[in-house]
Amino acid sequence: MNGTVKRPNNDYRRNVGKQDNKIYVYGNTVRQINAAPARRGEQTREVQHQAARNRKSSASARRSRIRARQITSPYTVFLTIVAVITSVVCMNYMQLKSRNTTYQAELIQKASSISAVKMRNDATYEKVMSSIDLEHVRDVAITQLGMVYAEEGQIISYSSQERDYIRQYSDVPVE
């Protein structure tokens, strides 16, 4: 490079009036030079026919819009039936919602009463258990009833596969 500075190649405007008369057009369409609108008398029959069709369709569209705005008696009956059905459904929903709220309140009340009864039951059980003197029960069993502790040979152990309870139909054999 001989010390020259290269410039970007976007000075297209400088070349407009010079020898080449090149015009750069950017974009995806080319403009028509000296394009003038067609005069009214120069319209073709096809364009006139299309305009008449548009006028006819717009008149029919206007008529259908007017017809659509009118409320006829079958439409009124239909709307009334729909309104009644909607009202009945809403009223049933409100009744079910009210019933559900009532049931929830009853459930909460019964749960609290069960909790209170359980607390009373536990308190009574603790009171009964604390009032029993196990030493006195042992003394009465040994002295008055003649009970004695079991010896080694009198205890028979067995295992059960059922965890509930066992019914004894006969005496347990002593070995």
Side-chain angles (χ1 to χ4, degrees):
M1 305 246 237
N2 300 344
T4 60
V5 177
K6 281 194 164 188
R7 293 186 179 154
N9 198 6
N10 53 354
D11 4 332
Y12 60 91
R13 292 183 183 170
R14 292 186 184 171
N15 296 333
V16 170
K18 296 187 178 176
Q19 300 165 344
D20 296 351
N21 287 338
K22 294 180 181 176
I23 299 175
Y24 293 91
V25 177
Y26 291 97
N28 61 353
T29 59
V30 177
R31 297 177 193 96
Q32 292 181 355
I33 301 175
N34 299 329
R39 294 185 185 167
R40 188 171 187 143
E42 296 176 357
Q43 289 181 346
T44 62
R45 286 182 185 236
E46 185 179 321
V47 173
Q48 290 174 355
H49 184 62
Q50 187 177 8
R53 248 188 287 140
N54 284 344
R55 272 186 250 123
K56 285 181 185 176
S57 67
S58 65
S60 67
R62 250 185 274 124
R63 271 185 258 125
S64 66
R65 272 189 242 121
I66 290 171
R67 222 178 293 128
R69 284 188 209 146
Q70 294 175 348
I71 298 177
T72 60
S73 60
Y75 186 66
T76 306
V77 169
F78 171 74
L79 286 180
T80 305
I81 291 171
V82 167
V84 167
I85 290 172
T86 305
S87 299
V88 168
V89 167
C90 288
M91 286 172 40
N92 283 339
Y93 174 75
M94 294 303 289
Q95 286 176 349
L96 289 174
K97 187 88 168 151
S98 172
R99 215 178 295 156
N100 187 19
T101 305
T102 305
Y103 288 152
Q104 285 180 348
E106 286 178 15
L107 179 69
I108 290 170
Q109 181 184 12
K110 290 186 183 203
S112 65
S113 68
I114 287 174
S115 176
V117 168
K118 279 185 179 180
M119 286 175 46
R120 263 189 276 135
N121 190 22
D122 290 345
T124 306
Y125 177 77
E126 289 298 323
K127 184 178 176 184
V128 167
M129 290 307 288
S130 65
S131 69
I132 297 175
D133 184 17
L134 295 178
E135 248 344 277
H136 176 67
V137 170
R138 187 179 72 79
D139 287 341
V140 168
I142 290 174
T143 57
Q144 291 178 5
L145 301 175
M147 297 176 84
V148 292
Y149 284 104
E151 295 177 7
E152 287 268 337
Q154 293 176 331
I155 299 174
I156 299 173
S157 298
Y158 62 94
S159 62
S160 173
Q161 287 149 0
E162 295 182 20
R163 294 184 172 238
D164 292 329
Y165 59 90
I166 296 175
R167 292 186 184 168
Q168 184 176 346
Y169 296 108
S170 63
D171 292 333
V172 177
V174 179
E175 296 178 15

